Amino acid sequence: MNCVILAAGYATRLYPLTEHFPKPLLQVGEKSILEWLLDDLATVGGIEEIVLVSNHRYAGHFEAWARGRAEHITVLDDGSTENDNRLGAVKDLALALEHCGTEKTTLVMAGDNLLDFSLRVLLDYAREKDASCVLRYREPSLEKLRKCGVATMDGESRIVSMVEKSPEPPSPWVCPPFYVYTPQALRLVSEALAAGCGTDAPGSLLSWLCGRVPVYALEMPGKRYDIGNLESYEQVKKEYRGI
């Protein structure tokens, strides 16, 4: 299995902390956000190649950080220089796939979210289903649902539809940016882009794929911490205790 980390955003709501420094490398407790994620994956095992996609402004930070890691991490610079000319998550994934190919099942994740449970549960679920799989959690706030990717499932937890930032969310189920995609799904990324799939949010690809290949959603056994602004970052630093 490969792992693609999407880390090319500019985190403008966290300025000045992230004006010249990437959000995934901000410290939470004794580790950076990204180190919490990768240290968990190291305990799970089975990850053969890790590709991290950065923007041009932060690529040097990630390259210096990667040199201190035990894993071999390839950092790709997507060439964007500011929020207004960013490529978007789906094009960044396509860039990563040009490097690592589409022949292996791939864990695709944003590098700026924390979980208080191991990603092992998602990887095991994907092996059990032998299909593309994602996480889901129930969000009670209508205001928050309107800002998220929201999925509708059938009785077997297969996603039948997914919408991004809908003013009328069709369900309470949010899919955070942790996806296991099979080669069957990965080979459709270029077709999705050619067909006009949204490129900014990573969930836009899931929206396009779920009508074409089986995608199942596992209810999270714990909590996700989304660091979106300075206030939430301070809160996470107080609350998060790791896996």
Side-chain angles (χ1 to χ4, degrees):
M1 179 180 288
N2 292 333
C3 176
V4 172
I5 302 168
L6 303 173
Y10 288 87
T12 55
R13 290 184 295 157
L14 277 162
Y15 282 11
L17 289 180
T18 54
E19 192 167 4
H20 304 289
F21 191 79
K23 178 165 69 164
L25 295 185
L26 291 176
Q27 290 291 120
V28 175
E30 70 270 24
K31 301 180 186 180
S32 68
I33 299 166
L34 197 48
E35 285 169 331
W36 283 112
L37 293 169
L38 290 187
D39 286 353
D40 170 47
L41 286 180
T43 68
V44 174
I47 302 295
E48 299 173 56
E49 184 171 10
I50 299 174
V51 178
L52 183 149
V53 186
S54 170
N55 58 53
H56 185 67
R57 188 191 300 178
Y58 300 149
H61 290 284
F62 285 117
E63 289 165 353
W65 166 82
R67 287 193 289 270
R69 294 289 302 180
E71 312 95 331
H72 174 69
I73 302 171
T74 300
V75 177
L76 300 180
D77 180 348
D78 75 359
S80 71
T81 55
E82 56 186 85
N83 202 49
D84 290 342
N85 66 13
R86 67 190 186 278
L87 272 65
V90 182
K91 287 186 177 179
D92 282 335
L93 173 57
L95 178 65
L97 295 177
E98 289 177 11
H99 174 83
C100 62
T102 59
E103 299 310 307
K104 294 180 181 178
T105 296
T106 299
L107 170 65
V108 179
M109 63 181 185
D112 60 357
N113 283 238
L114 286 170
L115 303 171
D116 66 1
F117 60 93
S118 175
L119 280 166
R120 181 188 298 274
V121 296
L122 175 60
L123 302 185
D124 287 348
Y125 183 72
R127 293 187 188 99
E128 175 189 332
K129 290 293 187 182
D130 193 24
S132 296
C133 293
V134 303
L135 294 169
R136 62 181 166 104
Y137 67 90
R138 185 182 293 273
E139 174 53 65
S141 167
L142 180 60
E143 181 183 359
K144 290 181 179 179
L145 283 171
R146 287 171 172 161
K147 300 176 182 178
C148 297
V150 174
T152 302
M153 278 78 60
D154 65 15
E156 301 299 320
S157 294
R158 178 173 172 172
I159 298 178
V160 295
S161 68
M162 168 86 173
V163 294
E164 280 286 342
K165 300 179 180 179
S166 170
E168 298 296 333
S171 87
W173 294 108
V174 172
C175 293
F178 296 91
Y179 318 100
V180 175
Y181 286 137
T182 63
Q184 178 191 18
L186 296 173
R187 285 192 288 268
L188 293 176
V189 171
S190 58
E191 181 182 334
L193 289 171
C197 170
T199 59
D200 190 37
S204 297
L205 177 63
L206 175 58
S207 300
W208 190 90
L209 283 173
C210 67
R212 294 164 174 83
V213 298
V215 183
Y216 293 87
L218 171 68
E219 185 171 359
M220 293 185 349
K223 185 176 179 179
R224 166 225 186 179
Y225 295 81
D226 181 16
I227 301 167
N229 54 33
L230 291 168
E231 182 181 1
S232 63
Y233 177 47
E234 292 303 319
Q235 191 66 29
V236 168
K237 286 196 294 182
K238 294 176 183 177
E239 292 183 7
Y240 189 69
R241 297 294 179 266
I243 297 169

